[in-house]
Amino acid sequence: MSGRHSLSIVELFRATPATSSLLTVAPFALALGQVFNSYVNGVSPAVSITFAVVMIGFSIVAMGHHAAEHRVDRLETEYGPEQV
């Protein structure tokens, strides 16, 4: 395994589908719903677009954390101390 290998999103979805879905699909759906809600109710688009940008940013940061956590778990499993 190379030192600079990064997990693809497909690998994360295969390893932990529920967590990966919650961290990617849910924030995007919430952002899209908020933009639609703003349009329907006549709220300023600046509010809903700001919310959408924050939710997408959260999704990106959370998936980065999830990928790092998965790499650490995989390394501990592969190279961890031997069980006696």
mmCIF file with all atom_site columns, all heavy atoms in Angstrom, residues 23-32 35 48-64:
data_model
loop_
_atom_site.group_PDB
_atom_site.id
_atom_site.type_symbol
_atom_site.label_atom_id
_atom_site.label_alt_id
_atom_site.label_comp_id
_atom_site.label_asym_id
_atom_site.label_entity_id
_atom_site.label_seq_id
_atom_site.pdbx_PDB_ins_code
_atom_site.Cartn_x
_atom_site.Cartn_y
_atom_site.Cartn_z
_atom_site.occupancy
_atom_site.B_iso_or_equiv
_atom_site.pdbx_formal_charge
_atom_site.auth_seq_id
_atom_site.auth_comp_id
_atom_site.auth_asym_id
_atom_site.auth_atom_id
_atom_site.pdbx_PDB_model_num
ATOM 1   N N   . LEU A 1 23 ? -23.724 10.937 5.118  1.00 0.00 ? 23 LEU A N   1
ATOM 2   C CA  . LEU A 1 23 ? -22.812 12.076 5.030  1.00 0.00 ? 23 LEU A CA  1
ATOM 3   C C   . LEU A 1 23 ? -22.768 12.719 3.646  1.00 0.00 ? 23 LEU A C   1
ATOM 4   O O   . LEU A 1 23 ? -22.239 13.818 3.500  1.00 0.00 ? 23 LEU A O   1
ATOM 5   C CB  . LEU A 1 23 ? -21.405 11.659 5.444  1.00 0.00 ? 23 LEU A CB  1
ATOM 6   C CG  . LEU A 1 23 ? -21.244 11.288 6.910  1.00 0.00 ? 23 LEU A CG  1
ATOM 7   C CD1 . LEU A 1 23 ? -19.827 10.801 7.177  1.00 0.00 ? 23 LEU A CD1 1
ATOM 8   C CD2 . LEU A 1 23 ? -21.580 12.462 7.809  1.00 0.00 ? 23 LEU A CD2 1
ATOM 9   N N   . THR A 1 24 ? -23.308 12.056 2.637  1.00 0.00 ? 24 THR A N   1
ATOM 10  C CA  . THR A 1 24 ? -23.298 12.651 1.296  1.00 0.00 ? 24 THR A CA  1
ATOM 11  C C   . THR A 1 24 ? -24.699 12.998 0.810  1.00 0.00 ? 24 THR A C   1
ATOM 12  O O   . THR A 1 24 ? -24.961 14.140 0.456  1.00 0.00 ? 24 THR A O   1
ATOM 13  C CB  . THR A 1 24 ? -22.627 11.720 0.269  1.00 0.00 ? 24 THR A CB  1
ATOM 14  O OG1 . THR A 1 24 ? -23.281 10.462 0.298  1.00 0.00 ? 24 THR A OG1 1
ATOM 15  C CG2 . THR A 1 24 ? -21.162 11.560 0.534  1.00 0.00 ? 24 THR A CG2 1
ATOM 16  N N   . VAL A 1 25 ? -25.571 12.022 0.803  1.00 0.00 ? 25 VAL A N   1
ATOM 17  C CA  . VAL A 1 25 ? -26.898 12.219 0.225  1.00 0.00 ? 25 VAL A CA  1
ATOM 18  C C   . VAL A 1 25 ? -27.764 13.126 1.101  1.00 0.00 ? 25 VAL A C   1
ATOM 19  O O   . VAL A 1 25 ? -28.441 14.028 0.580  1.00 0.00 ? 25 VAL A O   1
ATOM 20  C CB  . VAL A 1 25 ? -27.578 10.860 -0.021 1.00 0.00 ? 25 VAL A CB  1
ATOM 21  C CG1 . VAL A 1 25 ? -28.998 11.048 -0.517 1.00 0.00 ? 25 VAL A CG1 1
ATOM 22  C CG2 . VAL A 1 25 ? -26.771 10.023 -0.998 1.00 0.00 ? 25 VAL A CG2 1
ATOM 23  N N   . ALA A 1 26 ? -27.760 12.912 2.392  1.00 0.00 ? 26 ALA A N   1
ATOM 24  C CA  . ALA A 1 26 ? -28.632 13.680 3.290  1.00 0.00 ? 26 ALA A CA  1
ATOM 25  C C   . ALA A 1 26 ? -28.358 15.193 3.249  1.00 0.00 ? 26 ALA A C   1
ATOM 26  O O   . ALA A 1 26 ? -29.305 15.973 3.103  1.00 0.00 ? 26 ALA A O   1
ATOM 27  C CB  . ALA A 1 26 ? -28.541 13.139 4.709  1.00 0.00 ? 26 ALA A CB  1
ATOM 28  N N   . PRO A 1 27 ? -27.104 15.656 3.367  1.00 0.00 ? 27 PRO A N   1
ATOM 29  C CA  . PRO A 1 27 ? -26.888 17.105 3.294  1.00 0.00 ? 27 PRO A CA  1
ATOM 30  C C   . PRO A 1 27 ? -27.273 17.717 1.938  1.00 0.00 ? 27 PRO A C   1
ATOM 31  O O   . PRO A 1 27 ? -27.820 18.819 1.889  1.00 0.00 ? 27 PRO A O   1
ATOM 32  C CB  . PRO A 1 27 ? -25.395 17.270 3.550  1.00 0.00 ? 27 PRO A CB  1
ATOM 33  C CG  . PRO A 1 27 ? -25.019 16.071 4.317  1.00 0.00 ? 27 PRO A CG  1
ATOM 34  C CD  . PRO A 1 27 ? -25.872 14.968 3.784  1.00 0.00 ? 27 PRO A CD  1
ATOM 35  N N   . PHE A 1 28 ? -27.011 16.992 0.847  1.00 0.00 ? 28 PHE A N   1
ATOM 36  C CA  . PHE A 1 28 ? -27.391 17.504 -0.466 1.00 0.00 ? 28 PHE A CA  1
ATOM 37  C C   . PHE A 1 28 ? -28.912 17.571 -0.612 1.00 0.00 ? 28 PHE A C   1
ATOM 38  O O   . PHE A 1 28 ? -29.449 18.538 -1.161 1.00 0.00 ? 28 PHE A O   1
ATOM 39  C CB  . PHE A 1 28 ? -26.780 16.648 -1.575 1.00 0.00 ? 28 PHE A CB  1
ATOM 40  C CG  . PHE A 1 28 ? -25.325 16.948 -1.821 1.00 0.00 ? 28 PHE A CG  1
ATOM 41  C CD1 . PHE A 1 28 ? -24.346 16.109 -1.336 1.00 0.00 ? 28 PHE A CD1 1
ATOM 42  C CD2 . PHE A 1 28 ? -24.954 18.078 -2.518 1.00 0.00 ? 28 PHE A CD2 1
ATOM 43  C CE1 . PHE A 1 28 ? -23.007 16.391 -1.545 1.00 0.00 ? 28 PHE A CE1 1
ATOM 44  C CE2 . PHE A 1 28 ? -23.615 18.368 -2.738 1.00 0.00 ? 28 PHE A CE2 1
ATOM 45  C CZ  . PHE A 1 28 ? -22.640 17.519 -2.246 1.00 0.00 ? 28 PHE A CZ  1
ATOM 46  N N   . ALA A 1 29 ? -29.597 16.560 -0.123 1.00 0.00 ? 29 ALA A N   1
ATOM 47  C CA  . ALA A 1 29 ? -31.065 16.566 -0.185 1.00 0.00 ? 29 ALA A CA  1
ATOM 48  C C   . ALA A 1 29 ? -31.636 17.693 0.679  1.00 0.00 ? 29 ALA A C   1
ATOM 49  O O   . ALA A 1 29 ? -32.591 18.366 0.285  1.00 0.00 ? 29 ALA A O   1
ATOM 50  C CB  . ALA A 1 29 ? -31.613 15.219 0.270  1.00 0.00 ? 29 ALA A CB  1
ATOM 51  N N   . LEU A 1 30 ? -31.054 17.889 1.850  1.00 0.00 ? 30 LEU A N   1
ATOM 52  C CA  . LEU A 1 30 ? -31.499 18.969 2.736  1.00 0.00 ? 30 LEU A CA  1
ATOM 53  C C   . LEU A 1 30 ? -31.260 20.331 2.095  1.00 0.00 ? 30 LEU A C   1
ATOM 54  O O   . LEU A 1 30 ? -32.124 21.217 2.161  1.00 0.00 ? 30 LEU A O   1
ATOM 55  C CB  . LEU A 1 30 ? -30.770 18.864 4.075  1.00 0.00 ? 30 LEU A CB  1
ATOM 56  C CG  . LEU A 1 30 ? -31.274 19.725 5.208  1.00 0.00 ? 30 LEU A CG  1
ATOM 57  C CD1 . LEU A 1 30 ? -32.724 19.403 5.537  1.00 0.00 ? 30 LEU A CD1 1
ATOM 58  C CD2 . LEU A 1 30 ? -30.399 19.522 6.437  1.00 0.00 ? 30 LEU A CD2 1
ATOM 59  N N   . ALA A 1 31 ? -30.121 20.505 1.462  1.00 0.00 ? 31 ALA A N   1
ATOM 60  C CA  . ALA A 1 31 ? -29.819 21.778 0.790  1.00 0.00 ? 31 ALA A CA  1
ATOM 61  C C   . ALA A 1 31 ? -30.784 22.026 -0.364 1.00 0.00 ? 31 ALA A C   1
ATOM 62  O O   . ALA A 1 31 ? -31.318 23.136 -0.513 1.00 0.00 ? 31 ALA A O   1
ATOM 63  C CB  . ALA A 1 31 ? -28.379 21.765 0.279  1.00 0.00 ? 31 ALA A CB  1
ATOM 64  N N   . LEU A 1 32 ? -31.023 21.008 -1.159 1.00 0.00 ? 32 LEU A N   1
ATOM 65  C CA  . LEU A 1 32 ? -31.960 21.141 -2.272 1.00 0.00 ? 32 LEU A CA  1
ATOM 66  C C   . LEU A 1 32 ? -33.373 21.427 -1.777 1.00 0.00 ? 32 LEU A C   1
ATOM 67  O O   . LEU A 1 32 ? -34.085 22.272 -2.330 1.00 0.00 ? 32 LEU A O   1
ATOM 68  C CB  . LEU A 1 32 ? -31.941 19.873 -3.129 1.00 0.00 ? 32 LEU A CB  1
ATOM 69  C CG  . LEU A 1 32 ? -32.746 19.910 -4.408 1.00 0.00 ? 32 LEU A CG  1
ATOM 70  C CD1 . LEU A 1 32 ? -32.197 20.973 -5.354 1.00 0.00 ? 32 LEU A CD1 1
ATOM 71  C CD2 . LEU A 1 32 ? -32.723 18.544 -5.064 1.00 0.00 ? 32 LEU A CD2 1
ATOM 72  N N   . VAL A 1 35 ? -33.614 25.100 -0.683 1.00 0.00 ? 35 VAL A N   1
ATOM 73  C CA  . VAL A 1 35 ? -33.697 26.016 -1.821 1.00 0.00 ? 35 VAL A CA  1
ATOM 74  C C   . VAL A 1 35 ? -35.103 25.986 -2.414 1.00 0.00 ? 35 VAL A C   1
ATOM 75  O O   . VAL A 1 35 ? -35.691 27.029 -2.717 1.00 0.00 ? 35 VAL A O   1
ATOM 76  C CB  . VAL A 1 35 ? -32.623 25.670 -2.879 1.00 0.00 ? 35 VAL A CB  1
ATOM 77  C CG1 . VAL A 1 35 ? -32.854 26.441 -4.166 1.00 0.00 ? 35 VAL A CG1 1
ATOM 78  C CG2 . VAL A 1 35 ? -31.239 25.960 -2.330 1.00 0.00 ? 35 VAL A CG2 1
ATOM 79  N N   . SER A 1 48 ? -31.327 30.837 1.577  1.00 0.00 ? 48 SER A N   1
ATOM 80  C CA  . SER A 1 48 ? -31.329 29.423 1.220  1.00 0.00 ? 48 SER A CA  1
ATOM 81  C C   . SER A 1 48 ? -30.044 29.012 0.509  1.00 0.00 ? 48 SER A C   1
ATOM 82  O O   . SER A 1 48 ? -29.550 27.905 0.723  1.00 0.00 ? 48 SER A O   1
ATOM 83  C CB  . SER A 1 48 ? -32.537 29.090 0.356  1.00 0.00 ? 48 SER A CB  1
ATOM 84  O OG  . SER A 1 48 ? -32.483 29.804 -0.851 1.00 0.00 ? 48 SER A OG  1
ATOM 85  N N   . ILE A 1 49 ? -29.480 29.881 -0.299 1.00 0.00 ? 49 ILE A N   1
ATOM 86  C CA  . ILE A 1 49 ? -28.229 29.550 -0.978 1.00 0.00 ? 49 ILE A CA  1
ATOM 87  C C   . ILE A 1 49 ? -27.085 29.475 0.027  1.00 0.00 ? 49 ILE A C   1
ATOM 88  O O   . ILE A 1 49 ? -26.234 28.582 -0.060 1.00 0.00 ? 49 ILE A O   1
ATOM 89  C CB  . ILE A 1 49 ? -27.954 30.545 -2.113 1.00 0.00 ? 49 ILE A CB  1
ATOM 90  C CG1 . ILE A 1 49 ? -28.974 30.333 -3.230 1.00 0.00 ? 49 ILE A CG1 1
ATOM 91  C CG2 . ILE A 1 49 ? -26.540 30.406 -2.643 1.00 0.00 ? 49 ILE A CG2 1
ATOM 92  C CD1 . ILE A 1 49 ? -28.937 31.360 -4.316 1.00 0.00 ? 49 ILE A CD1 1
ATOM 93  N N   . THR A 1 50 ? -27.074 30.375 0.993  1.00 0.00 ? 50 THR A N   1
ATOM 94  C CA  . THR A 1 50 ? -26.063 30.311 2.048  1.00 0.00 ? 50 THR A CA  1
ATOM 95  C C   . THR A 1 50 ? -26.176 29.009 2.827  1.00 0.00 ? 50 THR A C   1
ATOM 96  O O   . THR A 1 50 ? -25.176 28.348 3.110  1.00 0.00 ? 50 THR A O   1
ATOM 97  C CB  . THR A 1 50 ? -26.200 31.511 3.005  1.00 0.00 ? 50 THR A CB  1
ATOM 98  O OG1 . THR A 1 50 ? -26.077 32.722 2.258  1.00 0.00 ? 50 THR A OG1 1
ATOM 99  C CG2 . THR A 1 50 ? -25.149 31.461 4.095  1.00 0.00 ? 50 THR A CG2 1
ATOM 100 N N   . PHE A 1 51 ? -27.400 28.630 3.167  1.00 0.00 ? 51 PHE A N   1
ATOM 101 C CA  . PHE A 1 51 ? -27.620 27.371 3.870  1.00 0.00 ? 51 PHE A CA  1
ATOM 102 C C   . PHE A 1 51 ? -27.137 26.190 3.024  1.00 0.00 ? 51 PHE A C   1
ATOM 103 O O   . PHE A 1 51 ? -26.493 25.273 3.532  1.00 0.00 ? 51 PHE A O   1
ATOM 104 C CB  . PHE A 1 51 ? -29.103 27.198 4.205  1.00 0.00 ? 51 PHE A CB  1
ATOM 105 C CG  . PHE A 1 51 ? -29.416 25.912 4.898  1.00 0.00 ? 51 PHE A CG  1
ATOM 106 C CD1 . PHE A 1 51 ? -29.175 25.766 6.248  1.00 0.00 ? 51 PHE A CD1 1
ATOM 107 C CD2 . PHE A 1 51 ? -29.946 24.849 4.189  1.00 0.00 ? 51 PHE A CD2 1
ATOM 108 C CE1 . PHE A 1 51 ? -29.459 24.578 6.892  1.00 0.00 ? 51 PHE A CE1 1
ATOM 109 C CE2 . PHE A 1 51 ? -30.238 23.660 4.816  1.00 0.00 ? 51 PHE A CE2 1
ATOM 110 C CZ  . PHE A 1 51 ? -29.996 23.515 6.171  1.00 0.00 ? 51 PHE A CZ  1
ATOM 111 N N   . ALA A 1 52 ? -27.443 26.206 1.732  1.00 0.00 ? 52 ALA A N   1
ATOM 112 C CA  . ALA A 1 52 ? -27.034 25.122 0.839  1.00 0.00 ? 52 ALA A CA  1
ATOM 113 C C   . ALA A 1 52 ? -25.512 25.019 0.754  1.00 0.00 ? 52 ALA A C   1
ATOM 114 O O   . ALA A 1 52 ? -24.952 23.917 0.791  1.00 0.00 ? 52 ALA A O   1
ATOM 115 C CB  . ALA A 1 52 ? -27.633 25.329 -0.540 1.00 0.00 ? 52 ALA A CB  1
ATOM 116 N N   . VAL A 1 53 ? -24.837 26.154 0.668  1.00 0.00 ? 53 VAL A N   1
ATOM 117 C CA  . VAL A 1 53 ? -23.374 26.147 0.601  1.00 0.00 ? 53 VAL A CA  1
ATOM 118 C C   . VAL A 1 53 ? -22.779 25.592 1.897  1.00 0.00 ? 53 VAL A C   1
ATOM 119 O O   . VAL A 1 53 ? -21.830 24.795 1.873  1.00 0.00 ? 53 VAL A O   1
ATOM 120 C CB  . VAL A 1 53 ? -22.839 27.564 0.300  1.00 0.00 ? 53 VAL A CB  1
ATOM 121 C CG1 . VAL A 1 53 ? -21.343 27.656 0.525  1.00 0.00 ? 53 VAL A CG1 1
ATOM 122 C CG2 . VAL A 1 53 ? -23.200 27.967 -1.113 1.00 0.00 ? 53 VAL A CG2 1
ATOM 123 N N   . VAL A 1 54 ? -23.343 25.976 3.025  1.00 0.00 ? 54 VAL A N   1
ATOM 124 C CA  . VAL A 1 54 ? -22.861 25.470 4.316  1.00 0.00 ? 54 VAL A CA  1
ATOM 125 C C   . VAL A 1 54 ? -23.085 23.962 4.413  1.00 0.00 ? 54 VAL A C   1
ATOM 126 O O   . VAL A 1 54 ? -22.213 23.226 4.879  1.00 0.00 ? 54 VAL A O   1
ATOM 127 C CB  . VAL A 1 54 ? -23.536 26.221 5.488  1.00 0.00 ? 54 VAL A CB  1
ATOM 128 C CG1 . VAL A 1 54 ? -23.272 25.539 6.811  1.00 0.00 ? 54 VAL A CG1 1
ATOM 129 C CG2 . VAL A 1 54 ? -23.057 27.662 5.522  1.00 0.00 ? 54 VAL A CG2 1
ATOM 130 N N   . MET A 1 55 ? -24.234 23.476 3.973  1.00 0.00 ? 55 MET A N   1
ATOM 131 C CA  . MET A 1 55 ? -24.513 22.041 4.035  1.00 0.00 ? 55 MET A CA  1
ATOM 132 C C   . MET A 1 55 ? -23.576 21.254 3.113  1.00 0.00 ? 55 MET A C   1
ATOM 133 O O   . MET A 1 55 ? -23.103 20.173 3.480  1.00 0.00 ? 55 MET A O   1
ATOM 134 C CB  . MET A 1 55 ? -25.966 21.754 3.670  1.00 0.00 ? 55 MET A CB  1
ATOM 135 C CG  . MET A 1 55 ? -26.949 22.169 4.736  1.00 0.00 ? 55 MET A CG  1
ATOM 136 S SD  . MET A 1 55 ? -26.580 21.530 6.383  1.00 0.00 ? 55 MET A SD  1
ATOM 137 C CE  . MET A 1 55 ? -26.766 19.786 6.127  1.00 0.00 ? 55 MET A CE  1
ATOM 138 N N   . ILE A 1 56 ? -23.283 21.771 1.944  1.00 0.00 ? 56 ILE A N   1
ATOM 139 C CA  . ILE A 1 56 ? -22.359 21.094 1.034  1.00 0.00 ? 56 ILE A CA  1
ATOM 140 C C   . ILE A 1 56 ? -20.946 21.110 1.620  1.00 0.00 ? 56 ILE A C   1
ATOM 141 O O   . ILE A 1 56 ? -20.230 20.111 1.550  1.00 0.00 ? 56 ILE A O   1
ATOM 142 C CB  . ILE A 1 56 ? -22.422 21.732 -0.364 1.00 0.00 ? 56 ILE A CB  1
ATOM 143 C CG1 . ILE A 1 56 ? -23.783 21.419 -0.994 1.00 0.00 ? 56 ILE A CG1 1
ATOM 144 C CG2 . ILE A 1 56 ? -21.286 21.247 -1.254 1.00 0.00 ? 56 ILE A CG2 1
ATOM 145 C CD1 . ILE A 1 56 ? -24.075 22.190 -2.254 1.00 0.00 ? 56 ILE A CD1 1
ATOM 146 N N   . GLY A 1 57 ? -20.559 22.224 2.216  1.00 0.00 ? 57 GLY A N   1
ATOM 147 C CA  . GLY A 1 57 ? -19.263 22.285 2.903  1.00 0.00 ? 57 GLY A CA  1
ATOM 148 C C   . GLY A 1 57 ? -19.175 21.288 4.039  1.00 0.00 ? 57 GLY A C   1
ATOM 149 O O   . GLY A 1 57 ? -18.159 20.605 4.217  1.00 0.00 ? 57 GLY A O   1
ATOM 150 N N   . PHE A 1 58 ? -20.259 21.174 4.811  1.00 0.00 ? 58 PHE A N   1
ATOM 151 C CA  . PHE A 1 58 ? -20.305 20.177 5.884  1.00 0.00 ? 58 PHE A CA  1
ATOM 152 C C   . PHE A 1 58 ? -20.133 18.776 5.325  1.00 0.00 ? 58 PHE A C   1
ATOM 153 O O   . PHE A 1 58 ? -19.392 17.962 5.880  1.00 0.00 ? 58 PHE A O   1
ATOM 154 C CB  . PHE A 1 58 ? -21.633 20.269 6.644  1.00 0.00 ? 58 PHE A CB  1
ATOM 155 C CG  . PHE A 1 58 ? -21.895 19.069 7.503  1.00 0.00 ? 58 PHE A CG  1
ATOM 156 C CD1 . PHE A 1 58 ? -21.261 18.928 8.721  1.00 0.00 ? 58 PHE A CD1 1
ATOM 157 C CD2 . PHE A 1 58 ? -22.754 18.071 7.069  1.00 0.00 ? 58 PHE A CD2 1
ATOM 158 C CE1 . PHE A 1 58 ? -21.490 17.807 9.507  1.00 0.00 ? 58 PHE A CE1 1
ATOM 159 C CE2 . PHE A 1 58 ? -22.987 16.945 7.840  1.00 0.00 ? 58 PHE A CE2 1
ATOM 160 C CZ  . PHE A 1 58 ? -22.352 16.812 9.066  1.00 0.00 ? 58 PHE A CZ  1
ATOM 161 N N   . SER A 1 59 ? -20.788 18.487 4.221  1.00 0.00 ? 59 SER A N   1
ATOM 162 C CA  . SER A 1 59 ? -20.702 17.164 3.610  1.00 0.00 ? 59 SER A CA  1
ATOM 163 C C   . SER A 1 59 ? -19.271 16.850 3.184  1.00 0.00 ? 59 SER A C   1
ATOM 164 O O   . SER A 1 59 ? -18.778 15.745 3.409  1.00 0.00 ? 59 SER A O   1
ATOM 165 C CB  . SER A 1 59 ? -21.638 17.079 2.406  1.00 0.00 ? 59 SER A CB  1
ATOM 166 O OG  . SER A 1 59 ? -21.517 15.833 1.773  1.00 0.00 ? 59 SER A OG  1
ATOM 167 N N   . ILE A 1 60 ? -18.599 17.807 2.609  1.00 0.00 ? 60 ILE A N   1
ATOM 168 C CA  . ILE A 1 60 ? -17.220 17.603 2.159  1.00 0.00 ? 60 ILE A CA  1
ATOM 169 C C   . ILE A 1 60 ? -16.293 17.361 3.341  1.00 0.00 ? 60 ILE A C   1
ATOM 170 O O   . ILE A 1 60 ? -15.482 16.421 3.332  1.00 0.00 ? 60 ILE A O   1
ATOM 171 C CB  . ILE A 1 60 ? -16.752 18.806 1.319  1.00 0.00 ? 60 ILE A CB  1
ATOM 172 C CG1 . ILE A 1 60 ? -17.520 18.845 0.001  1.00 0.00 ? 60 ILE A CG1 1
ATOM 173 C CG2 . ILE A 1 60 ? -15.251 18.766 1.076  1.00 0.00 ? 60 ILE A CG2 1
ATOM 174 C CD1 . ILE A 1 60 ? -17.356 20.127 -0.770 1.00 0.00 ? 60 ILE A CD1 1
ATOM 175 N N   . VAL A 1 61 ? -16.412 18.174 4.376  1.00 0.00 ? 61 VAL A N   1
ATOM 176 C CA  . VAL A 1 61 ? -15.558 18.012 5.550  1.00 0.00 ? 61 VAL A CA  1
ATOM 177 C C   . VAL A 1 61 ? -15.865 16.701 6.273  1.00 0.00 ? 61 VAL A C   1
ATOM 178 O O   . VAL A 1 61 ? -14.954 15.976 6.687  1.00 0.00 ? 61 VAL A O   1
ATOM 179 C CB  . VAL A 1 61 ? -15.711 19.226 6.499  1.00 0.00 ? 61 VAL A CB  1
ATOM 180 C CG1 . VAL A 1 61 ? -15.019 18.980 7.825  1.00 0.00 ? 61 VAL A CG1 1
ATOM 181 C CG2 . VAL A 1 61 ? -15.168 20.476 5.843  1.00 0.00 ? 61 VAL A CG2 1
ATOM 182 N N   . ALA A 1 62 ? -17.135 16.371 6.412  1.00 0.00 ? 62 ALA A N   1
ATOM 183 C CA  . ALA A 1 62 ? -17.517 15.141 7.104  1.00 0.00 ? 62 ALA A CA  1
ATOM 184 C C   . ALA A 1 62 ? -17.046 13.903 6.347  1.00 0.00 ? 62 ALA A C   1
ATOM 185 O O   . ALA A 1 62 ? -16.611 12.920 6.965  1.00 0.00 ? 62 ALA A O   1
ATOM 186 C CB  . ALA A 1 62 ? -19.030 15.099 7.303  1.00 0.00 ? 62 ALA A CB  1
ATOM 187 N N   . MET A 1 63 ? -17.116 13.924 5.020  1.00 0.00 ? 63 MET A N   1
ATOM 188 C CA  . MET A 1 63 ? -16.623 12.776 4.252  1.00 0.00 ? 63 MET A CA  1
ATOM 189 C C   . MET A 1 63 ? -15.109 12.658 4.347  1.00 0.00 ? 63 MET A C   1
ATOM 190 O O   . MET A 1 63 ? -14.568 11.555 4.372  1.00 0.00 ? 63 MET A O   1
ATOM 191 C CB  . MET A 1 63 ? -17.061 12.871 2.793  1.00 0.00 ? 63 MET A CB  1
ATOM 192 C CG  . MET A 1 63 ? -18.464 12.395 2.552  1.00 0.00 ? 63 MET A CG  1
ATOM 193 S SD  . MET A 1 63 ? -18.782 10.704 3.082  1.00 0.00 ? 63 MET A SD  1
ATOM 194 C CE  . MET A 1 63 ? -17.880 9.789  1.859  1.00 0.00 ? 63 MET A CE  1
ATOM 195 N N   . GLY A 1 64 ? -14.408 13.766 4.427  1.00 0.00 ? 64 GLY A N   1
ATOM 196 C CA  . GLY A 1 64 ? -12.959 13.715 4.635  1.00 0.00 ? 64 GLY A CA  1
ATOM 197 C C   . GLY A 1 64 ? -12.616 13.089 5.977  1.00 0.00 ? 64 GLY A C   1
ATOM 198 O O   . GLY A 1 64 ? -11.696 12.273 6.084  1.00 0.00 ? 64 GLY A O   1
#
